[in-house]
Amino acid sequence: LYIFSVASTELIGKHSDFEDDPETQELFGNLMRSMFTMLQLITLDTWSDLIARPVMKKQPLLSIFFVSFIGVGVFVFWNLVTAIVVESAFEIIKQDTAS
C-alpha cells in the first residue's frame, strides 16, 4: 500500500496535468491522501467512477497502474482476510475438541 501510495502521489498528485484539478489533488495531493485513496481502491469502493476514470481521462496509461494495483492489492488484502477467518475457525475447532 505504501509503495503504491508514493507512486500515485508522484505519478498523479505532482503531475502537471493534475496540478490545477482540485478533485485529483483531494485524492492524490499528498502521501496521506494517496494512502487513503489506495485503501479505498483495495476495498473496491467506487474506485472506477470516482477515482480511476477521471484520472485516466487525462492520462490513459495510468490504467496500467490502477489495474496492477487492483490485481496485486485486492489479491493480497482478501487473502489476508480469508487467512484470518480460517485461522479463527481452526482456533474454534481446537477449543471445541479440547472441551
Side-chain angles (χ1 to χ4, degrees):
L1 182 66
Y2 178 75
I3 293 170
F4 277 98
S5 297
V6 170
S8 66
T9 301
E10 293 297 321
L11 291 173
I12 302 167
K14 295 184 179 180
H15 195 277
S16 61
D17 289 348
F18 302 108
E19 284 179 346
D20 298 327
D21 186 356
E23 291 177 16
T24 305
Q25 289 303 312
E26 174 92 16
L27 296 172
F28 299 104
N30 61 33
L31 182 60
M32 291 308 292
R33 289 180 180 177
S34 292
M35 236 178 202
F36 185 76
T37 303
M38 300 312 272
L39 182 64
Q40 185 178 0
L41 280 170
I42 282 180
T43 62
L44 300 176
D45 179 33
T46 64
W47 73 277
S48 174
D49 298 333
L50 299 178
I51 300 170
R53 288 185 193 270
V55 171
M56 290 186 321
K57 282 182 185 176
K58 292 183 180 179
Q59 290 288 326
L61 287 178
L62 285 173
S63 60
I64 297 168
F65 174 77
F66 286 120
V67 169
S68 64
F69 177 72
I70 294 292
V72 171
V74 170
F75 178 75
V76 169
F77 177 73
W78 287 115
N79 275 335
L80 181 63
V81 169
T82 303
I84 292 170
V85 169
V86 169
E87 183 65 28
S88 297
F90 281 142
E91 283 296 318
I92 291 170
I93 290 171
K94 186 188 291 184
Q95 289 173 357
D96 285 347
T97 56
S99 53

